[in-house]
Amino acid sequence: MRVGGTDMHVVTLVFIILELIMFVYQFFYYLSHPRDKRRLYYLGLLLFLISKNIASGFFPDPNLSTPPIVVQYAIAYGMGFLMGAYFPFYFYKAFELNRLRWHALYGVPLFILLPFAVIFPLKFVYDGDIDHAINYGMVIPAAYALVLLYTIQQSIQDKYKKDIQDRRFFEVTAVYLAVVPWASLPFFAFFRIHQVPEALLTNVGFIVITVLFIRRSIRESREEYEQLLKLASADGSDSLSKLDLIEQMIQQLEANGISPTQRFEINLSTVGLTSREKEIVRLVRFGKAYKDIANELYISERTVSKHIQNVYEKLGVSNRVELLNRLQIWENG
């Protein structure tokens, strides 16, 4: 069923409306937490998805005289490529899969965006056959999409090979499975998959990503609350109840729209620690034992202990509770 005499199917329109609602909600959340980079990457994901759905919903439509049909094809398929091309960057930044850095920054522009942008118009100018132009423009991106799928999967395995029971492993794997249809967009275009099955495959996967993103945010909020509770228990103050103390700490942490995690990162970046020391402190914050930290960073427990002692000396603390208390609630300046 088409919408208003256009080529857009009602299924695509429903997804666009839902995603616009999600975008507005997430955008206002981001305005109150401007240092939340994960949320920013997520907003980029939503924006690309909405743009892609609008473009593929309206174009190509032979009943439209403007823009020209070749431009319509370029817009429709181009937005799909931009959306698919964003995923390696999203995995690289949001899940810290550093192995994807080259692909995210250089591989995608060279082997997905550039080939289609060059081959498609040149082929069309050469023989005037839009179908042939699309097919030729898809060859290199389709091959590279397979490389990306393999590389992302290997990056996930490499990061979590020491602990496949880590809940983050299952989360990132689920996201990977959800975005497989997006990496397959060149094949969708090559075989001219109908708008409805394409919209269902790509958007349902995105809903999975959204659910996982919200789930992760809730989990991290709980961890922050538990950490605050531990700090309150260690405070020893008789003048305030634990609940009052936690409320006071949260208000302090969220001053100027800064969440506990963001406050922690701000403080961590200003106390003169090395990159390795910061990595270790982040793991300490989530209750990791020295052995677990050593396994995750591929160093010895002795090295971990030495780094921790250096951190204690730099910050003038003597144990984990004092360290986390200092970094969690200490106001700079």
Side-chain angles (χ1 to χ4, degrees):
M1 184 168 60
R2 305 297 173 177
V3 178
T6 69
D7 202 42
M8 180 180 291
H9 197 279
V10 67
V11 172
T12 304
L13 178 62
V14 169
F15 280 123
I16 291 173
I17 293 172
L18 290 174
E19 288 149 9
L20 281 171
I21 293 172
M22 289 191 294
F23 181 85
V24 171
Y25 172 81
Q26 297 295 340
F27 178 72
F28 280 104
Y29 183 93
Y30 175 72
L31 289 180
S32 65
H33 299 76
R35 291 181 176 84
D36 189 346
K37 296 302 181 183
R38 285 183 177 177
R39 191 78 53 172
L40 182 61
Y41 302 138
Y42 177 74
L43 281 171
L45 208 60
L46 272 174
L47 187 60
F48 275 119
L49 180 65
I50 294 168
S51 301
K52 185 268 174 188
N53 281 333
I54 292 174
S56 63
F58 283 115
F59 305 126
D61 186 349
N63 296 320
L64 294 175
S65 58
T66 304
I69 192 67
V70 66
V71 176
Q72 293 185 40
Y73 272 99
I75 293 173
Y77 289 110
M79 287 309 305
F81 276 122
L82 286 175
M83 179 66 191
Y86 182 72
F87 275 111
F89 180 82
Y90 179 73
F91 274 98
Y92 163 54
K93 286 293 188 178
F95 295 102
E96 299 178 347
L97 300 180
N98 294 327
R99 183 174 174 178
L100 294 176
R101 183 178 184 276
W102 188 89
H103 292 279
L105 301 181
Y106 307 107
V108 164
L110 286 174
F111 299 112
I112 289 186
L113 302 179
L114 185 62
F116 185 79
V118 173
I119 297 174
F120 170 71
L122 289 179
K123 180 62 177 172
F124 180 75
V125 170
Y126 177 74
D127 62 13
D129 190 321
I130 193 76
D131 289 332
H132 284 174
I134 292 173
N135 291 342
Y136 276 90
M138 296 292 176
V139 173
I140 296 176
Y144 188 66
L146 297 177
V147 174
L148 280 178
L149 286 177
Y150 175 77
T151 305
I152 293 173
Q153 184 262 337
Q154 288 296 305
S155 299
I156 294 170
Q157 283 193 341
D158 287 348
K159 186 174 180 64
Y160 297 103
K161 63 184 177 182
K162 291 291 185 179
D163 188 8
I164 61 172
Q165 298 302 316
D166 191 313
R167 60 192 174 191
R168 289 171 296 181
F169 169 77
F170 295 104
E171 180 179 314
V172 70
T173 300
V175 174
Y176 170 76
L177 295 175
V179 305
V180 165
W182 284 100
S184 305
L185 277 178
F187 299 98
F188 287 179
F190 186 87
F191 293 106
R192 306 296 189 274
I193 302 297
H194 190 266
Q195 183 183 142
V196 173
E198 179 184 331
L200 288 172
L201 283 171
T202 54
N203 286 275
V204 168
F206 189 81
I207 289 174
V208 173
I209 296 175
T210 305
V211 171
L212 290 171
F213 185 89
I214 294 172
R215 178 176 174 270
R216 182 175 61 189
S217 298
I218 293 172
R219 187 191 71 222
E220 290 177 348
S221 295
R222 287 176 177 172
E223 289 173 344
E224 290 168 355
Y225 181 84
E226 290 171 0
Q227 184 61 49
L228 289 172
L229 184 60
K230 290 179 182 178
L231 294 174
S233 300
D235 182 83
S237 174
D238 295 327
S239 60
L240 292 172
S241 68
K242 289 182 179 180
L243 185 60
D244 291 336
L245 181 58
I246 290 173
E247 183 178 355
Q248 183 185 75
M249 293 166 70
I250 290 175
Q251 290 174 351
Q252 181 181 14
L253 290 169
E254 294 187 340
N256 300 320
I258 300 176
S259 71
T261 295
Q262 292 160 351
R263 170 61 64 192
F264 183 88
E265 289 296 328
I266 291 170
N267 291 336
L268 188 62
S269 67
T270 60
V271 291
L273 302 183
T274 66
S275 297
R276 177 63 81 184
E277 288 168 349
K278 290 177 184 176
E279 284 184 299
I280 292 174
V281 170
R282 289 188 183 100
L283 295 174
V284 167
R285 179 174 180 246
F286 289 106
K288 296 276 189 177
Y290 284 7
K291 181 179 179 180
D292 296 328
I293 295 174
N295 289 336
E296 186 159 336
L297 299 180
Y298 303 102
I299 58 179
S300 68
E301 289 185 55
R302 182 177 179 181
T303 301
V304 173
S305 178
K306 183 177 179 180
H307 281 303
I308 290 293
Q309 291 304 316
N310 289 338
V311 171
Y312 286 171
E313 291 178 9
K314 289 181 179 180
L315 273 67
V317 298
S318 58
N319 56 55
R320 287 191 179 207
V321 172
E322 291 180 5
L323 169 66
L324 297 177
N325 190 22
R326 172 74 181 274
L327 291 173
Q328 191 75 66
I329 67 173
W330 175 58
E331 293 283 354
N332 293 310

